[in-house]
Amino acid sequence: MRKGEPVLSSAQNGFEDLVSLDELRPGESGVIRAFNGKHLEDGILMEMGLMVGTEVKLVKFAPLGDPVELSVRGYHLSIRRSEAHFIMVERFARRAV
Amino acid sequence: MATARAQKKQMLEQNTLDIALVGNPNTGKTTIFNALTGLRQKVGNYPGVTVEKKTGLLPGQNGARIRVNDLPGLYSLTPKSVDDQISIEVLTGRHAEVSNLRLVVVAVDASNLSRNLYLVTQIVELGFPVIVALNMMDIASKKGMTIDHEKLSALLKIPVIPVVANKNQGIEVLRASILEQIQVTKADPETNWEMEVAVSEAVAPIAGWYAAHAGFNTVGARAEALRVVSSKKALSVWLAYCQKSGKPEGTELNSMVEAARRNLATQDVSWEMLEAKLRYEWIDALCHRVIRRGRTTDYSLSDRIDRVLTQRIAGPIIFLVIFAVIFQSIFTWAEIPMNAIDSFVAWLGSAVNEAMPDGVLRDLIVDGVIAGVGAILVFLPQILFLFFFLSLLEDTGYMARVAFMLDRIMRSVGLSGRSVIPLLSSFACAVPGIMATRTITSSKDRLITIMVAPLMSCSARLPVYTLMIGAFIPGETYLGFFSLQGLTLLSMYVLGIAGAVGAALVFKKFLIKGRKTTFIMEMPPYRRPSSRWVLYQLYERGKIFVLNVGQIILAISVVLWFLASYPKPDAPNVTAEKAIQESFAGKIGHAIEPVIEPLGFDWKIGIGLITSFAAREVLVSTMATIYNVEGADETSGSLRDALRKAKNPETGAPVYTPLVALSLMVFFVFACQCMSTVAIVKRETNSWRWPVIMIVYMTAMAYVASLAVYQGGKLLGMA
């Protein structure tokens, strides 16, 4: 988690605190705020458009719980939970449906 | 004569202008290619690697021919797989096959503009005239997006042509634009985006290297410099290229990159993926100006289909049902055309037999050539059925969902969901299966998949299973519909899968070193497949099978005929059985009998094992020859009867028991009896090391498993 930085309360900006991407529930969205650890190897994720500041939605988990399907930049991408775990997102406050 | 033709070919070649068609995967690139060229296509391979090389002709002006090169799909100019590397080599002028590139058309998915533009901005910097074919405008507007393509064109400073390739819209405009742009002489491209001064200064010496040693233009050199600073992989590819082509400047490049990275670090700029960061910043700003978003519908039809097809419980069930139907169709529906082909070949054989005078030539034609051609053609229905379904599943986008659903399982054997498709294809034939491993990005995963793919029971094993099961497994049924024959067949498939799992684990642990696997895969939206395209692919694959694989089988069946017919017995009127015992094949079979006796096999099966080392299905025709059954196949009663009646001449006991049949089938599950597979593995791994390891480990596995079955069965009193 983010340390030493003030976190705006969700009431102020519509965001909740930072969580790792695989902690989102299906249907929830957030904005990528950081890549944790050394998960920059090869940079495939970044070339696929997952940058700090990119909006991402967790579409669903696979039937066996892993991998996850994301919606990002208008397309769908599947990555493993172990990879999603390193992506820190600011979760959008859940909208009432 | 020959020189005249060569001259003509050279003239033609001089009048041919090469253009490249590139794009991200799933952008409808192939549809655009088909629409541009019609089906005037040539499919081949890039030399040395089995990356498919597809070219087609576009009618040009003043007698010039424009050759469209459909390059493998890629996301960026940083290479990740063999396919990527080929595209990148062609685009950067490092590939000998397409050295005179004049223009690049980039296929772009309008509904997914920003990620697609990443590649576009990279390609613009290479300095060729570039045209963007903005495909899938209809899907974009369904998603509530309006794209100002004129503004996009102005900002990118290149033509942007909106097309809906699958409805043939905009193709004429694209063609006209190609004819116009190909006249444009290669100029230094204009920069679209500016690097920060710190970055620009840090990469400047490397850019100088690219301009001096690799023929890059100013802009392209700077972009490539940024790329090698940002990616270890991109740098290593260049260093390998320098080493291969004997350029001593490689060391210089390496130290300059290291210096640039240190330089950036002192200024608090992280060099890792710097290129992606800078590029996307520019692209995001650009997209903001050209895309207008209206109201978006929350769920597209594709999302709704997907919610069912990958649903937690329904998803796996639907997957099983789909593959059950596919296998059912291969086993039953394909039998109708197979029987028809079979009776035709039998009729042809007997017709020739009657029409021709007795002699060696007639024997060669009837027993060698016609029998051989029959053996090839009889497989065609099965192979076409399988390829039909596989290309249907691929084109609809379902295959990506299979990989998504099964990744978790594949990981437990150390592979990823990407290996599912090659392995499933290997149930038809390991050759296309192994060719399909090219899309696996991790080289370790790819190698393991190649090594275990031939353990999947391919369609060539089916005739052997069918013959043995039909002849020796009783046709009992349990609970009304589980037939013992069907269960036996199923267990052969399960056994092969189990063997593949075991082998994959062993390879992963002991033999193949490499990094841990990753799984990053785009999930394309579901699409209606084009029937014309599916049929065309079917035709292409059928042709490849008949011509390439067929040649081997035909050659082998002629050799086999020779081995089984010569030397001719001295005495006249000897029985066929006696004759084959005296032949070369008989002698080889006798020689290996002591080795295979513990598996329950006699010398006649030994002959079959030898001949089927070239291709498994040859066993059936060998048995037909040995037992002198004319025009027989695995489903014909005459060969079954002959096998059932076969007696050991000394003891009078039947040669084949259900246990022997089982042992033989188990041997076929594991043994590497396919010359085409060995050849394709050699080609894909670029060495004899892996095919040799493959032959050794599979044969050892087959021997041990067969031995266990036969000796174990005897202990249990099954003999």
Side-chain angles (χ1 to χ4, degrees):
Chain A
M1 293 287 151
R2 205 158 53 164
K3 278 176 199 148
E5 276 180 61
V7 177
L8 293 173
S9 79
S10 53
Q12 280 171 297
N13 64 354
F15 289 131
E16 291 177 17
D17 201 357
L18 284 195
V19 291
S20 73
L21 183 53
D22 63 327
E23 286 174 76
L24 294 185
R25 266 164 285 184
E28 283 187 338
S29 308
V31 172
I32 297 174
R33 288 299 177 212
F35 289 87
N36 229 346
K38 57 162 194 69
H39 207 75
L40 293 165
E41 54 172 308
D42 278 3
I44 300 176
L45 284 179
M46 291 192 167
E47 286 191 340
M48 299 291 280
L50 275 78
M51 309 295 295
V52 169
T54 306
E55 196 182 315
V56 56
K57 174 171 150 187
L58 193 145
V59 178
K60 69 163 100 67
F61 292 99
L64 295 166
D66 195 5
V68 296
E69 181 177 342
L70 310 173
S71 168
V72 56
R73 293 179 185 269
Y75 76 99
H76 287 223
L77 181 73
S78 147
I79 64 175
R80 284 182 180 166
R81 285 186 90 142
S82 54
E83 282 139 8
H85 192 69
F86 290 101
I87 303 172
M88 305 307 291
V89 296
E90 202 165 63
R91 173 166 31 199
F92 284 135
R94 247 161 287 138
R95 272 168 290 179
V97 181
Chain B
M1 184 64 191
T3 44
R5 201 179 300 148
Q7 260 175 6
K8 197 179 164 206
K9 199 179 165 195
Q10 204 187 352
M11 284 236 324
L12 211 57
E13 203 57 27
Q14 276 168 354
N15 275 332
T16 303
L17 305 172
D18 269 308
I19 72 173
L21 178 62
V22 291
N24 288 181
N26 308 310
T27 49
K29 185 169 65 68
T30 306
T31 321
I32 295 177
F33 179 71
N34 292 341
L36 274 178
T37 62
L39 291 178
R40 291 185 298 272
Q41 305 178 357
K42 242 173 84 183
V43 183
N45 277 309
Y46 287 97
V49 282
T50 45
V51 174
E52 199 167 80
K53 181 183 177 186
K54 254 179 26 196
T55 57
L57 287 179
L58 190 71
Q61 283 162 331
N62 307 329
R65 302 193 315 160
I66 297 176
R67 182 164 53 203
V68 188
N69 294 269
D70 186 14
L71 299 182
L74 78 172
Y75 291 106
S76 87
L77 292 186
T78 310
K80 274 151 225 102
S81 66
V82 196
D83 280 28
D84 285 3
Q85 215 155 311
I86 292 288
S87 295
I88 294 164
E89 281 176 9
V90 170
L91 289 170
T92 53
R94 276 179 287 163
H95 205 288
E97 284 283 297
V98 192
S99 51
N100 189 22
L101 205 57
R102 295 288 291 269
L103 173 105
V104 181
V105 177
V106 191
V108 163
D109 175 358
S111 68
N112 179 7
L113 193 60
S114 63
R115 196 203 66 207
N116 278 263
L117 284 181
Y118 190 82
L119 181 68
V120 174
T121 60
Q122 286 185 328
I123 286 174
V124 165
E125 289 159 355
L126 295 174
F128 301 106
V130 175
I131 300 172
V132 166
L134 195 58
N135 197 15
M136 305 191 186
M137 288 292 274
D138 49 338
I139 295 172
S141 62
K142 258 184 218 158
K143 280 189 177 175
M145 286 189 286
T146 320
I147 295 167
D148 186 343
H149 68 265
E150 279 162 8
K151 196 186 253 175
L152 181 63
S153 168
L155 290 169
L156 289 172
K157 298 168 186 150
I158 52 173
V160 174
I161 316 288
V163 296
V164 181
N166 55 4
K167 292 183 187 133
N168 231 6
Q169 290 170 13
I171 296 299
E172 274 314 312
V173 186
L174 178 62
R175 191 174 293 158
S177 180
I178 290 172
L179 294 180
E180 186 193 313
Q181 289 293 314
I182 207 161
Q183 309 296 336
V184 176
T185 41
K186 193 170 148 181
D188 229 19
E190 293 184 70
T191 42
N192 285 315
W193 58 286
E194 286 299 329
M195 296 177 197
E196 294 162 45
V197 182
V199 179
S200 185
E201 279 172 4
V203 303
I206 307 167
W209 186 94
Y210 277 105
H213 300 298
F216 275 66
N217 65 68
T218 328
V219 175
R222 220 178 45 158
E224 194 61 41
L226 178 62
R227 185 140 48 244
V228 290
V229 168
S230 305
S231 158
K232 286 180 182 166
K233 176 79 187 176
L235 176 63
S236 69
V237 168
W238 271 105
L239 294 179
Y241 170 71
C242 286
Q243 203 167 25
K244 205 176 80 186
S245 52
K247 286 187 187 233
E249 300 91 33
T251 17
E252 196 189 332
L253 176 66
N254 192 28
S255 54
M256 281 194 298
V257 169
E258 278 171 17
R261 286 175 182 170
R262 278 197 303 273
N263 180 351
L264 288 168
T266 57
Q267 303 181 60
D268 251 3
V269 180
S270 163
W271 56 266
E272 276 180 299
M273 292 328 291
L274 190 58
E275 184 191 3
K277 184 170 162 280
L278 298 177
R279 231 177 253 285
Y280 268 116
E281 273 171 14
W282 187 80
I283 290 168
D284 284 343
L286 177 136
C287 284
H288 198 71
R289 293 172 67 183
V290 298
I291 304 176
R292 249 202 0 259
R293 277 171 206 281
R295 243 176 58 83
T296 51
T297 42
D298 263 3
Y299 293 103
S300 66
L301 179 63
S302 172
D303 288 338
R304 277 187 306 224
I305 294 171
D306 201 46
R307 267 199 284 181
V308 178
L309 289 187
T310 61
Q311 202 270 338
R312 197 165 291 255
I313 295 154
I317 293 174
I318 293 170
F319 166 73
L320 286 176
V321 168
I322 289 176
F323 276 86
V325 169
I326 292 175
F327 280 87
Q328 180 71 17
S329 78
I330 291 165
F331 295 152
T332 58
W333 301 344
E335 201 160 304
I336 301 160
M338 283 168 86
N339 287 341
I341 291 171
D342 218 54
S343 4
F344 173 73
V345 171
W347 169 83
L348 189 67
S350 58
V352 172
N353 220 0
E354 276 169 30
M356 284 182 69
D358 212 11
V360 177
L361 188 63
R362 190 185 76 177
D363 287 356
L364 173 66
I365 289 174
V366 174
D367 298 334
V369 178
I370 294 182
V373 172
I376 300 158
L377 291 183
V378 87
F379 271 97
L380 205 52
Q382 275 187 349
I383 287 192
L384 291 184
F385 264 101
L386 201 117
F387 280 141
F388 171 75
F389 284 113
L390 287 183
S391 62
L392 207 59
L393 294 183
E394 185 80 55
D395 287 3
T396 51
Y398 185 69
M399 279 301 202
R401 273 72 190 184
V402 173
F404 176 66
M405 286 194 286
L406 297 182
D407 178 65
R408 186 71 196 78
I409 294 173
M410 296 307 288
R411 204 180 320 167
S412 59
V413 291
L415 297 173
S416 84
R418 282 184 191 273
S419 298
V420 173
I421 294 156
L423 291 179
L424 281 179
S425 307
S426 298
F427 280 121
C429 177
V431 174
I434 286 167
M435 284 165 74
T437 62
R438 288 178 322 217
T439 53
I440 300 175
T441 40
S442 147
S443 55
K444 178 179 177 174
D445 278 22
R446 178 161 182 255
L447 194 51
I448 296 175
T449 310
I450 288 175
M451 292 303 281
V452 305
L455 286 171
M456 300 286 129
S457 278
C458 67
S459 58
R461 284 162 170 111
L462 252 186
V464 179
Y465 297 160
T466 315
L467 174 67
M468 289 296 148
I469 289 174
F472 300 105
I473 305 297
E476 295 165 19
T477 50
Y478 305 112
L479 302 174
F481 61 92
F482 287 116
S483 79
L484 186 59
Q485 294 186 334
L487 286 176
T488 310
L489 185 61
L490 181 67
S491 52
M492 291 305 132
Y493 279 86
V494 172
L495 194 63
I497 295 169
V501 168
L505 288 173
V506 171
F507 278 121
K508 173 115 187 155
K509 203 160 169 72
F510 298 108
L511 271 173
I512 301 168
K513 301 267 175 280
R515 277 202 321 228
K516 79 173 186 46
T517 60
T518 55
F519 179 66
I520 297 171
M521 183 187 67
E522 186 180 354
M523 310 266 276
Y526 288 94
R527 271 194 272 266
R528 185 201 302 267
S530 138
S531 55
R532 189 166 148 221
W533 179 235
V534 167
L535 290 177
Y536 179 72
Q537 278 178 300
L538 211 55
Y539 161 75
E540 276 294 326
R541 283 169 171 176
K543 201 170 82 181
I544 286 169
F545 174 77
V546 170
L547 296 183
N548 299 8
V549 185
Q551 277 172 3
I552 297 173
I553 300 178
L554 181 60
I556 286 157
S557 71
V558 171
V559 170
L560 173 69
W561 164 81
F562 175 78
L563 285 180
S565 318
Y566 289 89
K568 289 274 185 204
D570 295 332
N573 300 329
V574 291
T575 62
E577 195 185 334
K578 189 85 181 152
I580 201 164
Q581 191 158 2
E582 304 283 309
S583 72
F584 293 121
K587 285 175 184 136
I588 300 171
H590 277 296
I592 64 164
E593 193 168 34
V595 183
I596 57 173
E597 213 179 354
L599 312 183
F601 306 158
D602 70 347
W603 63 273
K604 290 180 185 169
I605 300 179
I607 298 174
L609 293 185
I610 297 291
T611 55
S612 62
F613 245 92
R616 296 173 176 97
E617 62 276 19
V618 172
L619 180 86
V620 176
S621 55
T622 306
M623 287 305 168
T625 310
I626 292 172
Y627 289 103
N628 202 24
V629 182
E630 272 177 34
D633 78 339
E634 68 277 9
T635 52
S636 76
S638 47
L639 182 54
R640 278 182 205 167
D641 288 342
L643 292 181
R644 285 199 198 108
K645 283 185 203 135
K647 295 268 191 296
N648 184 320
E650 282 151 37
T651 62
V655 173
Y656 294 90
T657 63
L659 186 60
V660 171
L662 211 56
S663 171
L664 188 61
M665 282 192 281
V666 167
F667 191 90
F668 271 77
V669 168
F670 293 116
C672 181
Q673 297 157 299
C674 180
M675 275 176 30
S676 314
T677 302
V678 172
I680 201 87
V681 171
K682 196 261 160 185
R683 225 169 130 191
E684 292 287 325
T685 60
N686 229 342
S687 84
W688 275 110
R689 183 176 168 199
W690 294 108
V692 167
I693 292 177
M694 179 181 273
I695 293 172
V696 171
Y697 102 83
M698 287 179 69
T699 309
M701 237 168 131
Y703 191 86
V704 171
S706 251
L707 188 70
V709 165
Y710 187 69
Q711 298 299 334
K714 259 180 31 183
L715 283 179
L716 294 172
M718 266 179 73

